[in-house]
Amino acid sequence: MDDITSQAPLLGRESNSDGGDRVRRDSYGSTSCSSKDDDVVVSIDPAVEEAGVAIQGGIQQADAINQVWSRAALILAYSFIFLISFANTLQYQIMSNLMPYVVSEFNSHSLIPTIGIVASIMSGILKLPIAKIIDSWGRPQGLACMIVLATTGLVLMAASRDVKTYAAAQVLYQVGISGFSYVLDIIVSDTSSLRDRVLAFAFNSSPTLITTFIGPPIATAFLNGSGWRWAFAFSAILFLVLSIPILSILAVNMRKAKAKGLLAKRPKSGPWTVSKLRQSLIDFDALGICLAAGGLTLILVPFSLLGSSVNNSVDNSVAITPIFGILLTIAFAIHERKAKRPFIRFELLCSRNVAGACLLSVTIFIAYFSWDGFYTSYLQVVHDLTLAQAGYVGHIYGIGSCIWTIVVGYLIRRTDRFKWLALAALPVHLLGGFLMIFFRRPDTNIAWVVMCQILITIGGSTLVMCDQMAVMSVANHAELASVMALLGLSYYVGSAIGNSLSGAIWNTTLPEVLAKQLPQFSPDELTLIAADLKKQLSYPVGSAVRTAIVTAYGEAQYRMCVTGVLVSLFEIVAVCIWKDVRVSQNKQVEGTVL
């Protein structure tokens, strides 16, 4: 896409993976060194594509749709993707700004990280079966299921009357919306060449440029008007309505593919037998998914309890569960090596790009959620920003990454490489985190806080995009959903650990500092202050109580930022182990694509 200033070049190209020569490789991700420039080229051995994974129904559907639709239909499909992405990002903006007030209404402001941890664990683990479902049944079917799940969660949140119901609904919603985002990313990947994929992702995230500005005022209007429950009801209706067009165009073109004979009608399944059930479990790699899910759950449970514990203690019987979790994770790796239909091939799982990308994902998101916990609350309490103003500052990463992703995509397309961009982004991201230690203080001008956010946005968004390219560049079409699910799982593992760290720091630091600053208050009063954002904001700026609260916030944020910076140092190792792959050499998709 030579011209990134208009929509037409982004959506106006046709690409066919049949063009160009394939280069055979002895092993997955092996290098081909030219005497001139030492280029690294990755290609997929045809024997791998014939191993059984590539013939799954969902992948056949995606290929068939690409073969039958026209360029106009492709443009229309991306227009509908824009609509549903708009609904998704708008509800995120509304909910993220209202969540502190919702849990404060239940006197549970400190539960924010706990809800995030549980949601992260469930969302990450369920990526694995979702990947198998959309590969077997189809992308539109999987997208529809995730839309129903997310909408149900929104409705239940709007109707909740206690924090337990709200938390359960929030987890249900997060599982649905993360699954929705994942399936939508796979649809974008199915319909774009690898070289232009980051630009396609940039278009998918472009509604953030609008919703970042209109989301906080809408949240404020609902908070001051009909209430947060109607905000969730509005989000549910909007999301459901705007999801219909993309589902419709995919269904129409799927029927067209069947009419042309590109998709055979599925035979009617007979009665279930033991052998049929056994074969289905093998095809879905049920054992592998259970081992991975069980292992990660046991590893993350102690972090969840630690993040929600006020006294920062965990029972010894729970503290040893990570040992069993690690054993199950090792068992998963061994199983994948020997399984007939593995979730992900062992060679791919252990490749430098996939292993390094997963490490980078975990590291980035531990750091991000370590220093991002209670951020919008911090902006309102310490810097006396309104809800809308805090929303704008808090979502600098969202809007900034949306713009910067276009630059990253253009540079990848021009240079045919991504590793050099990641290496350039590392010092920027680390510098932004390091400066936050000094500038996220009560006596700091808000402009310095914004500057740190901008640096983190440039460095972080570049690393995340290159992270995705690292795994996609060494996978074929049949393996695309699996490697993206594995990467998504790494995101959620990192966010769960990061949320737990921020929660543990918060629940330890805030009561400790408040008790020192306000000795005249009883423990119950201090607990009430720490748990209720509205009560914190009710004290005038400059008053003794508000000053004490600001001091407590400042100390907690300082400790969170130090933790995040120390963790982010592992990003250097993660990026350096990648192979420098030429993205144009991997021909993943066929037909009319971006």
Side-chain angles (χ1 to χ4, degrees), residues 238-288:
L238 182 68
F239 186 59
L240 191 60
V241 170
L242 293 186
S243 66
I244 295 174
I246 182 62
L247 292 174
S248 299
I249 194 169
L250 291 175
V252 167
N253 282 278
M254 192 163 61
R255 290 196 199 98
K256 190 182 297 185
K258 288 181 179 179
K260 290 188 175 183
L262 297 177
L263 284 175
K265 291 184 178 181
R266 292 185 178 182
K268 293 183 179 180
S269 58
W272 281 92
T273 61
V274 174
S275 60
K276 188 176 181 181
L277 177 61
R278 181 175 178 274
Q279 186 60 44
S280 296
L281 294 176
I282 292 174
D283 291 342
F284 274 82
D285 191 20
L287 178 58

Side-chain angles (χ1 to χ4, degrees), residues 153-230:
L154 285 169
V155 172
L156 290 177
M157 278 189 282
S160 62
R161 297 297 173 185
D162 57 71
V163 71
K164 292 182 180 179
T165 304
Y166 172 80
Q170 175 72 231
V171 171
L172 183 66
Y173 163 77
Q174 290 293 346
V175 169
I177 207 65
S178 66
F180 162 82
S181 300
Y182 163 71
V183 178
L184 196 62
D185 280 344
I186 297 302
I187 292 174
V188 170
S189 300
D190 287 337
T191 56
S192 60
S193 64
L194 183 61
R195 191 178 180 185
D196 295 326
R197 192 158 299 159
V198 173
L199 286 173
F201 284 155
F203 178 80
N204 182 29
S205 63
S206 60
T208 305
L209 296 172
I210 303 172
T211 57
T212 298
F213 294 101
I214 67 175
I218 292 176
T220 302
F222 275 111
L223 184 66
N224 298 330
S226 55
W228 59 266
R229 298 180 189 280
W230 280 106

